[in-house]
Amino acid sequence: MSLFDLAGKVVLITGSSRGIGKASAFACAEQGAKVVISSRKQDACDAVAAEINARFGDGTAIAVAANISDKAGLQALVDATRGAFGRVDVLVCNAASNPYYGPQEGIADEQFRKILDNNILSNHWLVTMVAGEMKERGEGSIIIVSSIGGLRGSPIIGAYCISKAADMQLARNLAHEYGKHGIRVNCIAPGLIRTDFAKALWEDEAAVAERNRTTPLRRIGEPEEIAGAVVYLASPASAFMTGQVMVIDGGVTI
């Protein structure tokens, strides 16, 4: 069996109608997993699920819209996953929010709370919703997509960085709690990736040119370059890894 084989596994990925989440869904399906596509809009989820089913066979993917700010909606997502596939083997908490760019002193309370709720609390909710069945089976993988913003300060996306640092600590705490049950919890910390979510950071050509100049690999990343890490953390290849942060940033943080 391949170290990266996901045959028979069910992978639930939030924020998977585009960007890193979509690329990760395709990568997991390619390794044999059943995948659940979820984001806020049902039509966008349906389109991605249809693409995956056309490539890998009918029944490989289902689409379930859910807003990460809605606890009941997330429970419905988990319930729909179990209804279709019977279980959740891998949870990928990828969806996040960042409604504010600018100095920390200028952020409104509502914006700050939205970032903390959507980027931290929603992950806590989802983990709690799937951990019980993972405990019963004695195995499972939980993957939180964080950011290198959680490793350093920023005068532009400070609140987002705070939330992503908290995600790293959430993974460490949960790794301690769930390790005895065979459940692994890890984070991925991407650098700047060419996604719609991060468009405000890469659409300025001059800013990207400067970023590339100071990046060892001299470019920003692509969503598919994060998807491999998701497969690794979901698969037997990472069986002895938990509570860690995988930095994938072209060398920016070195």
Side-chain angles (χ1 to χ4, degrees):
M1 185 182 72
S2 165
L3 281 172
F4 303 96
D5 183 26
L6 293 175
K9 300 297 185 182
V10 177
V11 183
L12 169 56
I13 308 174
T14 62
S16 47
S17 64
R18 60 184 184 176
I20 291 171
K22 179 180 178 180
S24 298
F26 270 85
C28 289
E30 188 171 25
Q31 299 301 320
K34 303 291 187 183
V35 295
V36 180
I37 306 302
S38 185
S39 67
R40 288 177 298 171
K41 298 180 180 178
Q42 186 64 47
D43 57 347
C45 296
D46 288 337
V48 174
E51 282 185 64
I52 291 174
N53 287 328
R55 181 178 301 183
F56 301 108
D58 288 341
T60 300
I62 63 168
V64 184
N67 191 321
I68 55 174
S69 66
D70 177 8
K71 187 175 184 179
L74 292 179
Q75 185 63 63
L77 166 62
V78 172
D79 292 345
T81 300
R82 293 192 181 116
F85 296 133
R87 55 197 287 158
V88 180
D89 295 290
V90 180
L91 170 65
V92 183
C93 297
N94 171 65
S97 297
N98 185 39
Y100 176 78
Y101 291 83
Q104 187 75 19
E105 65 181 4
I107 192 169
D109 288 351
E110 182 180 347
Q111 292 172 314
F112 204 172
R113 289 193 181 102
K114 180 177 181 178
I115 290 171
L116 300 180
D117 285 351
N118 287 1
N119 298 0
I120 309 168
L121 184 60
S122 68
N123 294 341
H124 162 71
W125 287 340
L126 278 165
V127 170
T128 301
M129 291 169 186
V130 304
E133 65 171 277
M134 291 181 177
K135 286 182 182 181
E136 290 178 6
R137 289 193 301 271
E139 64 176 0
S141 178
I142 295 166
I143 304 163
I144 301 172
V145 179
S146 182
S147 165
I148 61 169
L151 298 171
R152 58 186 194 172
S154 170
I156 301 172
I157 54 171
Y160 177 79
C161 292
I162 290 167
S163 73
K164 291 305 181 176
D167 279 336
M168 295 175 187
Q169 187 60 33
L170 179 63
R172 287 187 283 265
N173 290 350
L174 294 177
H176 267 290
E177 290 185 30
Y178 295 143
K180 62 186 176 183
H181 301 290
I183 302 170
R184 299 177 294 106
V185 189
N186 292 285
C187 276
I188 298 171
L192 182 56
I193 307 296
R194 199 184 307 277
T195 64
D196 287 346
F197 180 83
K199 194 172 184 178
L201 299 176
W202 58 259
E203 62 183 349
D204 183 325
E205 293 184 6
V208 170
E210 176 58 21
R211 176 66 171 254
N212 291 347
R213 186 186 67 80
T214 58
T215 299
L217 288 182
R218 297 296 190 268
R219 62 180 178 84
I220 66 174
E222 302 294 337
E224 292 74 18
E225 293 173 315
I226 306 302
V230 172
V231 170
Y232 169 72
L233 292 174
S235 71
S238 60
F240 197 52
M241 180 174 177
T242 196
Q244 303 302 314
V245 179
M246 288 184 68
V247 176
I248 309 174
D249 66 353
V252 167
T253 53
I254 65 171

